[in-house]
Amino acid sequence: MELEKFSYDNGIVRKFAFATVLWGVVGMLVGLLIATQLFAPALNFNIPFLTFGRIRPLHTNAVIFAFVGNAIFMGIYYSLQRLCKARMFSDLFSNIHFWGWQLIIVSAAITLPLGITTSKEYAELEWPIDIVIALVWIAFGINMFGTILKRREKHMYVAIWFYIATWVTVTVLHVVNSIEIPVSFLKSYPIYAGVQDALVQWWYGHNAVAFFLTTPFLGLMYYYLPKAANRPVYSYKLSIVHFWTLIFIYIWAGPHHLLYSALPDWVQSLGTVFSIMLIAPSWGGMINGLLTLRGAWDRVRENPVLKFMVVAVTAYGMATFEGPMLSLKNVNAIAHFTDWIISHVHIGALGWNGFLTFGILYWLIPKLWKTGLYSKKLANFHFWIGTLGIVFYASSMYWSGITQSLMWKQFTPLGVLQYPNFLETVLQIIPMYIIRMIGGSLYFVGTIVMVYNLIKTARQGSFQKDEAAEAPALIKIDDPFKKGIRHRWLEGKPIYFLFLALVAILIGGIIEFVPTFLIKSNIPTIASVKPYTPLELQGRDIYIREACNSCHSQLVRPFRSETERYGEYSKAGEYVYDHPFLWGSKRTGPDLHRVGGKYPNFWHYLHMENPGSMSPGSIMPSYPWLLTNDLDVSNTSKKINVMRSIGVPYPDGYEEFAIQDLHAQAEEITLDLQKSGAPAEANKEIIALIAYLQRLGRDIKAKNYSTNK
Amino acid sequence: MFKDYLQSIEGVEFYAIISMLIFISFFIVIILWLIKVDKHYIKKMKELPLEPDSYQAVLKPKEFSGKKNESKI
């Protein structure tokens, strides 16, 4: 048989490896800053760009899309070439992918601190960046499928299926969740509103975890764990079953992020049921990973790469057991909106994604530079300090989450809330926030040690950009294996495979969406719920800019502890004009859905200037710039037009008068503030924000509110 | 009030039933395939990542592990 000569592109793998490490350090550093701000809010230095709300999405985006994203591409570009016995399809596409992705990260790092955000978690980037993401993702797809099509190995190893499922699903998720109408170059409104927007967002959010943080990493696990242990995966059959069940079931489970919300009950239940079913395929993956090491555990003791991988796979198992438990309604009732969830996601991020990435880096860098690891001792140190960091992080957040929840729900024997002041429940967990920061710091120190170790490793070796290789050409021969039902037929045909994977993930999404969207006209509208006034709309966009929804929910759940604390529970019909929805996912501060009318305007004015003045000990950052920034009203009529085009019933021609209404309402609030003694001016941002906050949740308090079908 | 949604969709219960059927039948097909599949094939697939990155270095490539290797370089 003729051997064909070709070369593996190691240059692109090196680029992605470098980006992984760099953005990992940046993402963790930003994480440390916001963790510290939670007990020392002064650390925002009253600079808008450093305020918690704006840089919290920077942390999540940097870790998910920059650190983990680059790690995925590093891992795929190395393993795909070897599994296909072929160089990447196109060096040009590889480079477009690499530089395009870094461009996206840099634009995120610039726009998010500037407050340019869609407010949708893990999809905060505005529409021009969304388009670049789509283009770069397509370049990656062409490159990957091109490589698969020109491969010299007939069969596609299971890792490649995970890569294909990742690509196709992320494509669908990104497109569906990013449908938005631009108002200006850096501002847009999603076409979905309220309940539907929430459903789409959490279908996206949940499956971003599934198909960006899970399936590509399982693919990497299936390649790098056998490589590092030098033994084949425990059960290939198990990998087939768990692959198909995983991608099929995962897509359904999104609504478990919206339990007890205003989402239709049947969708919530569907989310719960599929979440529980998800344990089986998730644990299939974990068991397959751990059992690959059966009889070779002695090697784990000596090999830091395997140590990292074992803890990663174990963390995956823990997180995927905890996830379904959290989707049980009774557990969710306690855990949702608390720090418990923060702990849950960090088991995944620090343990599963972080440690697997570290394991791969420790294996790959010596390989690429044709040398041994510079220091095994330092790698072991990294392992232990990293593990300790995770333990500190997770335990403090569990403690804090459960404490919060119990205090929120505690009644006295007389039947009133024992801690009616939300702040009490915050002050109680400050020590836990400090411990969390210590845990994060330990983890960060480990990462820095790794950086040093890897640089030293690279220095002592020699890097070869193009690694020469030879392999026999793929020739059409009869399959030597006996006939049967031919899954392997599928494996020989990547395009069919792509199609089937697409069908598998679409079924769940469609069944969830179609009814919720079809019945749009049937959503019980509440006659007294009216569109926002122009000033409120501008105020809402400031709320979005400062990402108040990072810490404040707008969703009162139907529990007595919540209706006592906040007021009437939230109804779906109240959100019909909310583009985007702002339910939030975390209550670092209290819920705001019924805050309208609760405090006088003057209270909000002083509170925004310095929250500590109204709530001593508050950890909310100060927003003094809202009092001095002029409100930009130039786009008011454009906003009204866009809102009308996506279904908000502003009367025709209203955009002409909107600005007058805006000024009139602003004057009214300013007068009230001035009467109270505030040096307020009508053209400042604070006026719009106060208008919005005072509007929140008030519509159904209007007299004679009735539901129309 | 959300029950009103459900009632307003004709035959809404079939959504769930149909999707479950699709899922279960797909799952059964996969299980059937796994029962019937050739062991040698599974072995070959398992060892795929452990094959050498280049055949240059090895005298005899593992063509299909577990099967007689009749092809020659």
Side-chain angles (χ1 to χ4, degrees), chain A residues 473-503:
Chain A
L474 182 62
I475 38 169
K476 290 207 161 130
I477 45 162
D478 279 345
D479 200 324
F481 305 112
K482 77 176 186 203
K483 309 284 183 235
I485 305 168
R486 307 290 285 284
H487 189 270
R488 58 179 178 272
W489 170 82
L490 209 57
E491 287 158 26
K493 307 234 176 329
I495 300 301
Y496 289 112
F497 196 91
L498 169 78
F499 179 71
L500 258 180
L502 181 66
V503 170

Side-chain angles (χ1 to χ4, degrees), chain A residues 73-104:
Chain A
F73 303 136
M74 165 190 79
I76 290 181
Y77 274 86
Y78 181 88
S79 61
L80 186 68
Q81 297 188 73
R82 268 93 189 155
L83 287 170
C84 290
K85 296 276 179 293
R87 190 183 173 86
M88 287 310 294
F89 171 66
S90 153
D91 286 5
L92 176 69
F93 275 78
S94 297
N95 279 305
I96 292 176
H97 178 201
F98 176 77
W99 291 109
W101 197 257
Q102 311 316 313
L103 175 75
I104 293 162

Side-chain angles (χ1 to χ4, degrees), chain A residues 600-603 605-606 666-682 687:
Chain A
N601 293 336
F602 189 47
W603 186 93
Y605 189 89
L606 296 175
E667 279 303 328
E668 204 179 308
I669 294 171
T670 311
L671 270 177
D672 178 65
L673 283 170
Q674 286 167 348
K675 258 187 233 165
S676 316
E681 290 172 61
I687 307 295

Side-chain angles (χ1 to χ4, degrees), chain A residues 436-489:
Chain A
R436 179 251 298 266
M437 193 277 290
I438 293 171
S441 305
L442 294 177
Y443 193 87
F444 183 70
V445 168
T447 309
I448 296 296
V449 170
M450 176 192 75
V451 174
Y452 173 75
N453 203 355
L454 293 182
I455 291 175
K456 280 288 192 186
T457 305
R459 285 259 168 90
Q460 72 184 16
S462 71
F463 181 78
Q464 204 179 353
K465 205 162 167 282
D466 298 300
E467 182 185 328
E470 290 181 18
L474 182 62
I475 38 169
K476 290 207 161 130
I477 45 162
D478 279 345
D479 200 324
F481 305 112
K482 77 176 186 203
K483 309 284 183 235
I485 305 168
R486 307 290 285 284
H487 189 270
R488 58 179 178 272
W489 170 82

